[in-house]
Amino acid sequence: MRAQLRLGRAAWLVLSVVPIALAFSHRETPDGDGPGWLDEGRGRVRVEPVGPTLVHSGVVRAATQTTMIPEIDLVSGVPPTLGTLGIALPTRIIEIVPEGSTVKEGDPICRFDPSVYEEQARLQRIEVDRCRSSLAVAERDLAVAQAELIAFREGDRVQQERRLETELAMARVELSRAEDSLSWSQRMGTLGYLASADLAEQRLARLRAEIARENAELALQTFLRTTVEKQLRDLEARVERAQTSRAFAAEALNAAEARQEHLDQQVSHCTMTAPHDGTVLYADIAWREYYQVREGAEVYPHLPLFVLPDLSRLEVEIQVHERLSSLVDEGQQATASFEAFPGRSSPARVSSVDLLPTPDWYHFGEWHQFRVRLALDEAPSGLLPEMTAEVVLQTGPSTPALTVPSVAVAWDEGGPYCVVETPLGQVLRPVRVDRGTTDRLVVLEGLESGETVLLLPRRHNRRKEGSRWPPDP
């Protein structure tokens, strides 16, 4: 009886324990001949610093990017043309580098037809020569007028004044001689030695001498008071007119030379060169349905033609809400991951933070955010501007913690687990994890430092190739 009872208890124990053991044996024992594992590589459990973080989505930008716009403009005297986008410049694209080309600073990117601008520059050179000739004539006239003014002031005036003074002195001497002769004649006439006719002749000679003296005095006074001033004013006016003509000619020459320089610049601007190293991208994506950047295309003023980002210097731009802006500062370390490169991350650091916030118009301007730029220490090959990114900012001190690659942790009905490689084979081991970095989780329980785990583990039934048991969670 007791033997039967013991046998019943043993059977009950076997029937109770064996199903439980079979249910959980795949979580604690090596696989042996049972289902195997498929994976995407191996990862290592290790200790690394982990701290409080701030996670933000962002966009990849080029640290140096230039939007290239034609610097040529409409030319007076040349009728504008009407294109698909409005008034076009009097030129067209005749040479262009293929989109995606890598260029160095100073390399030509696009060339416009310069014939109109070259013809205008040639005509303007003729105008410049004419203005130079006019200026030379004006300078000569000014020099002549100035010489005549100096000659009158220092030569003709003095000479003419001295001549009039000499004539006045001679007239006074003649008057004195006539008076002496008349006095002598009157005495002689009183004594009867001189006829009355001769005496009358002497009186007439004295009168003529007095009139000559008065005329000489009047001539000298008129010259000093009126003639000198009139001639000085006439000569000074001629100098002023010559100076005005010269100034006008000089101004006309300056204007002609400025226009000549402008037209020469327009000719040089018909060749667009790279302002820095970068990759050429056509900027017609917004209006490509109506206009395409190509050979033979019209050129419009202020219409962007190319975008030249420097792909060797990429950065990530994020928008941080003003409530969290105090947690971000220049030089702060971060980690950036990209949707185009899953499982890969790049170290980064905060290079700049805007001083003022900008409204977020996606939320009708109710939110204000600070634009933060992060420089990438090493960008993944193939990373391009406008790609999406996720940035993890270290906002506090880090502490050492045991971590495992996030892609090595899988979940089933029993919770998270990892597949660990051991000397006895691949073992499924339940784990407890917590948030860590962008690509690693903090291990709270179940793993040890230095262990090797499978990345993206999934079951594989060896008896039937390609089947999965149990199915992937």
Side-chain angles (χ1 to χ4, degrees), residues 74-96:
L74 296 172
V75 180
S76 60
V78 178
T81 59
L82 186 63
T84 57
L85 298 180
I87 296 178
L89 295 170
T91 183
R92 288 178 178 268
I93 298 175
I94 58 176
E95 292 181 12
I96 189 172

Side-chain angles (χ1 to χ4, degrees), residues 135-395:
L135 179 60
V137 172
E139 288 179 344
R140 184 197 61 191
D141 294 342
L142 176 60
V144 171
Q146 290 175 339
E148 290 180 351
L149 177 60
I150 295 173
F152 178 75
R153 282 177 175 173
E154 299 179 1
D156 295 347
R157 173 186 174 181
V158 175
Q159 183 179 2
Q160 193 169 356
E161 184 177 352
R162 288 181 180 178
R163 181 180 62 78
L164 293 176
E165 289 177 349
T166 301
E167 291 178 356
L168 177 58
M170 294 297 297
R172 288 173 178 173
V173 170
E174 291 295 331
L175 177 58
S176 177
R177 290 176 56 187
E179 288 178 347
D180 292 342
S181 178
L182 178 60
S183 177
W184 181 83
S185 297
Q186 287 177 347
R187 288 197 302 271
M188 292 298 102
T190 303
L191 297 176
Y193 291 105
L194 189 63
S196 57
D198 294 333
L199 183 59
E201 183 65 27
Q202 291 294 330
R203 289 193 182 100
L204 183 59
R206 177 187 175 280
L207 181 60
R208 284 198 296 266
E210 186 175 1
I211 293 173
R213 178 184 63 82
E214 291 176 354
N215 290 336
E217 289 179 351
L218 181 61
L220 180 59
Q221 292 176 358
T222 301
F223 176 75
L224 294 176
R225 293 178 180 177
T226 60
T227 305
V228 171
E229 184 176 359
K230 177 180 178 298
Q231 291 188 3
L232 280 176
R233 289 186 177 181
D234 289 343
L235 293 174
E236 289 173 352
R238 288 184 59 186
V239 171
E240 291 179 358
R241 287 195 298 270
Q243 289 176 342
T244 303
S245 298
R246 181 192 178 281
F248 178 79
E251 189 67 23
L253 177 60
N254 291 337
E257 289 178 341
R259 178 168 172 77
Q260 176 69 50
E261 182 180 359
H262 175 71
L263 290 173
D264 290 340
Q265 288 179 351
Q266 297 302 303
V267 174
S268 64
H269 290 165
C270 286
T271 301
M272 299 182 70
T273 58
H276 55 79
D277 298 351
T279 302
V280 178
L281 303 176
Y282 295 171
D284 57 358
I285 187 171
W287 49 83
R288 190 166 289 177
E289 182 180 356
Y290 308 99
Y291 176 81
Q292 293 184 0
V293 177
R294 55 178 176 78
E295 291 185 2
E298 307 95 346
V299 183
Y300 298 89
H302 311 295
L303 180 67
L305 294 181
F306 307 100
V307 177
L308 189 65
D310 187 358
L311 300 184
S312 64
R313 295 178 55 207
L314 296 177
E315 63 182 13
V316 177
E317 181 181 300
I318 63 175
Q319 300 288 340
V320 179
H321 193 276
E322 57 184 344
R323 179 172 56 86
L324 305 174
S325 61
S326 60
L327 301 177
V328 183
D329 198 4
E330 290 187 10
Q332 199 167 358
Q333 297 299 318
T335 303
S337 58
F338 310 96
E339 188 173 351
F341 307 97
R344 298 176 59 184
S345 60
S346 299
R349 57 180 175 81
V350 178
S351 59
S352 65
V353 181
D354 284 359
L355 296 177
L356 297 176
T358 55
D360 182 5
W361 298 113
Y362 288 104
H363 298 86
F364 304 99
E366 296 180 358
W367 292 4
H368 285 73
Q369 303 180 107
F370 285 84
R371 183 168 56 179
V372 179
R373 296 180 178 88
L374 298 99
L376 297 175
D377 295 342
E378 184 178 355
S381 177
L383 188 65
L384 297 174
E386 305 303 325
M387 285 186 173
T388 56
E390 185 177 71
V391 176
V392 179
L393 288 164
Q394 298 291 335
T395 58

